[in-house]
């Protein structure tokens, strides 16, 4: 068993199964959090908050309501997040259009964790962000991550499949202060992670619920589109500014106008 925070974690080596993937991690050199660059040193200490003791994250997320199971082979929602209703998705997308300020942890060990404003791209399916007011700006092209390709929304206290003795991600274990672990999470993509500490535990709950619901709905819609489903009741979900978000009919409520 793991005894204390002084236990070392091993570098997050990619499994042999991944080695056979047709797409090499080296194909994404521009990715800020690319998994192939400078894996964290194995000798670094991991705070006990990131040791996988099987502790419940309910104290952080306080999620009790169960509406519908979110189950896809390609996506794992955050623990306790099971509501993918129209209301949840619409409210979250509206918030993202306005911008949600969080602390984002950079991949490089020399890169400070910075305040960033998370936003939904005009395409309604991609995540982007920009420096918060007062933060240094860059000339780099704004990021654009397709949320329909997100593999998992993972709280900092949830197990790391690549390092089962530990929780979160290598970046959260390296960059996130132990006192902030309860309000931190990551979006897991195939070739990178987006590691975030929320301002409050409540904001973390809203973000994890929102990203879980939005990613799930986008992926269900994407799967339906690929299978050639032509269902007239499948429709976009309108937002206040008239920009729609692609959604599937499979999880919609009956309040929408046809």
């Amino acid at each position: 068993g793991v005894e204390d925070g002084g236990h070392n974690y091993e570098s997050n080596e990619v499994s042999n199964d991944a080695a056979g993937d047709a797409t090499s991690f080296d194909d994404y050199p521009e990715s800020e959090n690319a998994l192939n660059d400078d894996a964290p040193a194995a000798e670094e200490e991991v705070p006990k908050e990131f040791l996988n003791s099987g502790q419940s994250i309910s104290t952080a997320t306080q999620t009790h309501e169960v509406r519908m199971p979110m189950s896809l082979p390609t996506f794992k929602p955050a623990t306790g997040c099971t509501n993918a209703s129209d209301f949840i998705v619409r409210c979250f997308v509206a918030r993202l259009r306005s911008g949600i300020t969080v602390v984002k942890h950079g991949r490089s060990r020399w890169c400070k964790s910075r305040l960033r404003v998370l936003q939904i791209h005009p395409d309604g399916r991609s995540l982007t962000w920009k420096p918060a007011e007062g933060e240094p700006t860059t000339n780099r092209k704004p990021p654009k991550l397709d949320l329909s390709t997100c593999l998992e929304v993972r709280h900092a206290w949830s197990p790391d499949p690549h390092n089962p003795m530990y929780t979160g991600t290598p970046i959260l274990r390296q960059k996130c202060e132990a006192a902030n672990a309860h309000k931190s999470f990551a979006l897991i993509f195939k070739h990178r992670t987006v590691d975030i500490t929320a301002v409050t535990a409540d904001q973390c709950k809203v973000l994890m619920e929102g990203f879980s619901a939005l990613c799930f709905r986008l992926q269900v819609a994407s799967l339906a589109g690929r299978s050639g489903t032509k269902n007239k009741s499948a429709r976009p979900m309108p937002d206040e500014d008239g920009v729609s978000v692609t959604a599937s009919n499979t999880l919609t409520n009956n309040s929408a106008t046809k």
Side-chain angles (χ1 to χ4, degrees):
V2 179
E3 297 180 356
D4 57 42
H7 200 94
N8 294 332
Y9 73 92
E10 306 207 356
S11 60
N12 194 23
E13 296 291 337
V14 179
S15 66
N16 290 333
D17 294 338
D21 194 290
T23 306
S24 167
F25 289 157
D26 294 326
D27 292 343
Y28 293 80
E30 303 300 322
S31 176
E32 177 186 359
N33 292 0
L35 296 179
N36 63 313
D37 297 333
D38 303 326
E43 296 303 317
E44 291 189 29
E45 294 186 349
V46 178
K48 64 177 181 289
E49 282 78 8
F50 290 99
L51 296 177
N52 187 5
S53 62
Q55 62 182 312
S56 169
I57 67 169
S58 62
T59 53
T61 62
Q62 299 173 350
T63 303
H64 305 297
E65 184 176 4
V66 176
R67 285 282 180 85
M68 59 189 74
M70 294 202 289
S71 178
L72 284 176
T74 55
F75 176 68
K76 182 180 179 182
T79 302
C81 295
T82 56
N83 186 347
S85 69
D86 276 6
F87 180 76
I88 291 285
V89 176
R90 279 199 187 98
C91 290
F92 185 61
V93 169
R95 281 190 163 194
L96 279 176
R97 293 203 192 288
S98 302
I100 303 174
T101 302
V102 299
V103 175
K104 183 183 162 298
H105 304 288
R107 176 65 176 83
S108 167
R109 67 178 65 249
W110 296 281
C111 179
K112 290 183 179 180
S113 300
R114 299 280 194 184
L115 284 173
R116 294 289 182 262
V117 180
L118 301 179
Q119 292 183 309
I120 193 82
H121 190 272
D123 66 9
R125 61 187 292 125
S126 300
L127 177 68
T128 185
W129 57 83
K130 64 182 181 180
E133 188 175 350
E135 289 279 358
T137 58
T138 67
N139 294 323
R140 285 188 295 179
K141 185 179 179 181
K144 181 182 175 184
L145 289 172
D146 186 348
L147 291 172
S148 71
T149 66
C150 182
L151 302 176
E152 181 183 355
V153 180
R154 186 188 304 164
H155 188 271
W157 286 348
S158 293
D160 180 350
H162 290 289
N163 287 282
M165 290 176 60
Y166 305 107
T167 64
T169 66
I171 295 170
L172 284 176
R173 295 193 292 268
Q174 178 187 354
K175 294 291 194 69
C176 176
E177 294 183 14
N180 293 328
H182 70 286
K183 58 180 181 179
S184 301
F185 71 99
L187 302 177
I188 313 297
F189 293 86
K190 187 174 183 179
H191 298 288
R192 66 165 295 167
T193 60
V194 179
D195 300 83
I196 293 166
T197 293
V199 178
T200 65
D202 281 343
Q203 187 197 45
C204 182
K205 175 187 173 186
V206 168
L207 287 166
M208 290 198 304
E209 286 181 341
F211 278 120
S212 293
L214 179 56
C215 293
F216 177 74
R217 291 290 290 270
L218 287 170
Q219 293 197 29
V220 169
S222 179
L223 289 170
R226 285 203 295 272
S227 66
T229 302
K230 294 182 179 179
N231 191 319
K232 293 180 180 179
S233 61
R235 71 204 186 317
M237 295 188 301
D239 203 353
E240 292 84 355
D241 59 4
V243 181
S244 63
V245 174
T246 304
S248 167
N249 65 307
T250 56
L251 294 173
T252 56
N253 57 32
N254 297 320
S255 61
T257 57
K258 298 291 184 184

